[in-house]
């Protein structure tokens, strides 16, 4: 069994709640295809890159309309004197080395890349790729795993066949406990709750990090005024005071 607490930089996995608890459980149980979805700035990509990877560096694909199939599996590049060399792409490298492949913002991938992802993320036994120069057949290493991330809330917007390759989808709606340890102590509780409550006014980890940094030299009022609209700045500062009054 993987002991995620070490890679999560937390004392005890039982501290985890909600989607983070589910992620720890499924990775501990050996799941190798997971979708993490939900609001921005909760630590989905960070978790996908680092958790349960046993220290083997992960490969990351950031899907945009401009990402091409060559960026996924590889392409020929000129190496001078009319010669060409095959540059292996992150997906095949990850297959070969048995590392984690992180497919970020998967909903933004173009049709071609989505089709290729069906092959790259296919279940063991079905997945294979032929090297264009050696014709060697490459299949995924036993330790290969994929985590896809997205901000879409309705996973039915993903192609059915891609979704089917990922039976486990976990909604992450709060910051990871380890991520808030980078913040000054008075910000940790609010950051963990995504303070200011409702979904529309959730404050992402990135905003908390920026607030913490700016306030060191500019003071809390000025930092809040630079990061939020007027009313939200006041509400944010008030909620910070209130949350730190609580025992
Ligand atoms: N466990 C963690 N430890 C330290 N820093 C973290 C942790 N989790 C997240 N962070 C930091 O928080 C910020 C946001 O994390 P991340 O990019 O993973 O969010 P996300 O949920 O993928 O956001 P988006 O949906 O916008 O892509 C990053 O700066 C990241 O380095
Ligand atoms: Mg992300």
């Amino acid at each position: 069994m993987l002991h995620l607490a070490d890679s999560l930089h937390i004392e005890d996995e039982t501290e985890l709640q909600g989607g983070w608890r589910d992620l720890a459980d499924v990775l501990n149980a050996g799941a190798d295809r997971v979708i993490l979805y939900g609001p921005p700035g909760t630590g989905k990509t960070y978790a996908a890159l680092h958790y349960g990877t046993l220290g083997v560096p992960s490969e990351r694909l950031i899907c945009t309309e401009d990402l091409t199939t060559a960026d996924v599996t590889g392409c020929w590049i000129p190496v001078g004197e009319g010669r060409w060399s095959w540059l292996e792409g992150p997906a095949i490298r990850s297959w070969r080395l048995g590392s984690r492949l992180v497919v970020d913002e998967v909903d933004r991938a173009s049709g071609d890349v989505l089709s290729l992802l069906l092959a790259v993320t296919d279940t063991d036994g079905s997945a294979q790729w032929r090297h264009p120069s050696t014709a060697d057949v490459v299949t995924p290493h036993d330790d290969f795993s994929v985590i896809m991330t997205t901000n879409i809330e309705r996973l039915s917007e993903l192609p059915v066949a891609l979704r089917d390759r990922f039976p486990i989808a976990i909604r992450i709606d709060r910051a990871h406990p380890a991520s808030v340890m980078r913040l000054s102590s008075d910000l940790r509780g609010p950051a963990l709750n995504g303070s200011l409550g409702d979904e529309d006014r959730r404050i992402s980890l990135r905003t908390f990090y920026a607030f913490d940094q700016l306030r060191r030299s500019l003071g809390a009022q000025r930092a809040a005024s630079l990061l939020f609209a007027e009313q939200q700045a006041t509400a944010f500062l008030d909620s910070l005071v209130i949350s730190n009054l609580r025992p």
Side-chain angles (χ1 to χ4, degrees):
M1 184 197 251
L2 272 175
H3 286 288
L4 285 186
D6 292 342
S7 66
L8 301 179
H9 309 295
I10 53 172
E11 295 291 315
D12 181 355
E13 280 177 44
T14 57
E15 283 177 34
L16 296 174
Q17 293 183 348
W20 293 121
R21 167 84 263 151
D22 296 343
L23 179 63
D25 285 348
V26 301
L27 292 180
N28 275 330
D32 55 9
R33 303 279 190 285
V34 179
I35 301 179
L36 297 180
Y37 69 103
T42 52
K44 297 181 294 300
T45 298
Y46 186 97
L49 288 170
H50 300 286
Y51 297 168
T53 58
L54 299 171
V56 181
S58 299
E59 301 285 346
R60 184 180 183 188
L61 288 172
I62 304 175
C63 299
T64 64
E65 280 179 12
D66 296 331
L67 186 84
T68 65
T69 53
D71 299 319
V72 179
T73 44
C75 59
W76 291 99
I77 52 161
V79 288
E81 298 169 1
R83 288 183 304 116
W84 293 74
S85 167
W86 178 255
L87 181 68
E88 186 173 58
I92 301 303
R93 192 163 45 243
S94 190
W95 271 22
R96 212 169 32 79
L97 300 175
S99 61
R100 166 77 47 74
L101 177 65
V102 178
V103 182
D104 248 340
E105 321 294 349
V106 61
D107 54 296
R108 302 202 186 153
S110 66
D112 282 356
V113 168
L114 280 172
S115 303
L116 185 58
L117 286 175
L118 293 182
V120 164
T121 62
D122 210 347
T123 26
D124 304 339
S126 299
Q128 65 172 48
W129 177 83
R130 193 173 286 275
H131 194 289
S133 71
T134 62
D136 287 345
V137 171
V138 184
T139 54
H141 188 290
D142 281 350
D143 294 339
F144 171 69
S145 64
V146 197
I147 296 188
M148 304 201 301
T149 78
T150 176
N151 293 128
I152 58 173
E153 292 288 350
R154 282 182 306 168
L155 294 181
S156 54
E157 289 172 27
L158 294 177
V160 179
L162 187 63
R163 178 71 180 87
D164 189 54
R165 283 154 171 75
F166 290 79
I168 303 166
I170 298 173
R171 184 166 190 273
I172 301 291
D173 61 1
R174 68 191 75 188
H176 191 282
S179 69
V180 302
M181 297 312 284
R182 282 173 52 183
L183 290 164
S184 303
S185 55
D186 64 323
L187 296 177
R188 289 177 191 163
L192 214 44
N193 299 327
S195 211
L196 291 194
D198 54 290
E199 204 60 15
D200 292 345
R201 297 199 299 165
R202 238 196 103 261
I203 296 175
S204 96
L205 264 176
R206 297 186 184 98
T207 306
F208 276 104
Y209 291 145
F211 176 76
D212 208 10
Q213 183 192 33
L214 291 179
R215 117 178 132 166
R216 262 177 237 133
S217 44
L218 302 176
Q221 295 277 355
R222 179 82 180 117
S225 74
L226 287 166
L227 291 167
F228 303 107
E230 204 173 312
Q231 281 182 347
Q232 203 190 1
T234 312
F236 175 79
L237 292 171
D238 288 350
S239 74
L240 204 55
V241 171
I242 293 164
S243 75
N244 281 289
L245 286 176
R246 288 193 202 113

